[in-house]
Amino acid sequence: MQVSMASTQGVGAANEDTVHVSPTGVVVLDGLSAPTDLPMGCVHGTPWFVRQLGTKLINLIGDDEVTLREALRRAIAEVNDLHRDSCALDQEAVPASTVVMVRKREETFEYLVLSDNVLVIDLGADGIKAIVDKRVEEVAAEEMREALKGPTGTPEHASRVSKLVSVQRRLRNKPGGYWVAATDPTAADEAITGSVELARVQQAALLTDGASRLVDSFGALTWASLLKLLRTDGPTALIARTREAELADPLGERWPRFKRSDDATAAYVGHLGAAPWDER
């Protein structure tokens, strides 16, 4: 398994994405942005949280006896132990992150997806499969529509985004809401998990929503052409092309979005168990 990766910061104060790689696994996290005008129960912040969680996960999934779901459950609990004495972990306003991770285990390709990161798997003659957990888009619909109204980058737009985040926090990790990695280890039970025979997998990509938007938000690429771009030019080229599209629509008029540019992280996984990919 060979992995190439890239991660770049968007308009925020820090890159809240992280990517971790081992010989048999890949973990990509996208920290949920916390507007500065809203409270936060953790003194460390989201970038610290995603780094700690990612490090725990990549180490845990190195043990084939630990399922991906159990790894996430244990990683959340272990990060809680790192800051429960300094931070108010019982509040809604705590750091949180989406998760996508894969592992090569014997002759199997295993995966876990929690919230709106995207896993794209090329199964050759069986087509391309995109796996994403879209439950966050099914809650707070009215606030989400308002938050997507442009122009981006204005105080009015920022206020609408803060209102959306306030509502989403109340619905986070609750039945009828949506699920992310935060302080509740049982969120792991809500993740999408599965496995594919390794011999069927030609290539795969793990993407934060800042790196998948050329397909699922902008409609400028298909999953097949995104994979080809990653394979031929690499993740850095995908993110560069994403930035070009964002700069062409700085106010979010053509492609409404919460930020002019989001943190973007892509990990491309090749040389798995399948025969060479066909050209598509």
Side-chain angles (χ1 to χ4, degrees):
M1 185 170 78
Q2 293 186 1
V3 181
S4 56
M5 56 188 174
S7 182
T8 67
Q9 181 179 333
V11 296
N15 189 347
E16 296 176 330
D17 290 356
T18 187
V19 55
H20 299 260
V21 177
S22 74
T24 58
V26 184
V27 174
V28 171
L29 305 179
D30 180 358
L32 277 61
S33 296
T36 56
D37 61 324
L38 296 182
M40 171 57 73
C42 172
V43 300
H44 301 94
T46 301
W48 176 88
F49 175 77
V50 296
R51 288 195 302 269
Q52 299 303 321
L53 185 65
T55 300
K56 299 288 186 185
L57 284 169
I58 199 66
N59 288 331
L60 285 164
I61 67 174
D63 183 349
D64 284 352
E65 298 303 313
V66 177
T67 67
L68 297 186
R69 188 168 273 149
E70 177 60 22
L72 180 55
R73 191 161 34 237
R74 286 169 55 176
I76 292 171
E78 289 177 10
V79 175
N80 285 348
D81 290 341
L82 294 177
H83 65 142
R84 67 172 67 256
D85 293 335
S86 58
C87 303
L89 303 187
D90 58 344
Q91 295 186 13
E92 294 174 345
V94 291
S97 178
T98 66
V99 182
V100 57
M101 54 182 171
V102 300
R103 176 172 64 183
K104 179 182 177 182
R105 181 174 176 267
E106 297 178 347
E107 300 305 316
T108 303
F109 185 76
E110 302 175 332
Y111 62 83
L112 179 148
V113 178
L114 183 65
S115 201
D116 59 353
N117 282 358
V118 183
L119 171 63
V120 186
I121 306 175
D122 183 355
L123 298 173
D126 293 326
I128 292 173
K129 183 177 183 180
I131 303 163
V132 61
D133 174 5
K134 288 290 190 180
R135 280 174 288 186
V136 67
E137 297 183 1
E138 298 169 2
V139 301
E142 181 178 348
E143 290 83 2
M144 186 168 290
R145 283 193 296 270
E146 289 298 312
L148 285 171
K149 291 181 179 178
T152 60
T154 64
E156 294 78 15
H157 182 260
S159 177
R160 293 194 294 270
V161 171
S162 291
K163 183 178 180 180
L164 170 64
V165 173
S166 294
V167 174
Q168 287 179 330
R169 281 177 172 178
R170 297 196 295 269
L171 300 169
R172 188 178 296 169
N173 290 353
K174 295 179 180 177
Y178 69 106
W179 299 84
V180 293
T183 57
D184 183 358
T186 64
D189 298 331
E190 298 293 330
I192 299 170
T193 60
S195 62
V196 181
E197 184 183 356
L198 189 63
R200 297 176 58 206
V201 181
Q202 293 195 345
Q203 54 188 333
L206 295 80
L207 310 165
T208 63
D209 61 351
S212 66
R213 57 177 37 177
L214 282 177
V215 177
D216 53 20
S217 295
F218 297 177
L221 294 176
T222 64
W223 292 125
S225 57
L226 179 143
L227 285 172
K228 184 175 181 180
L229 177 61
L230 286 172
R231 185 175 73 247
T232 57
D233 297 333
T236 299
L238 170 65
I239 296 174
R241 185 163 171 181
T242 303
R243 297 296 185 232
E244 291 174 1
E246 292 166 339
L247 286 172
D249 179 40
L251 301 182
E253 296 172 324
R254 180 178 180 184
W255 298 306
R257 53 197 189 272
F258 304 126
K259 302 175 183 177
R260 287 179 178 173
S261 65
D262 197 2
D263 300 336
T265 299
Y268 173 76
V269 185
H271 296 280
L272 289 154
W277 45 74
D278 52 356
E279 287 296 333
R280 279 171 286 173

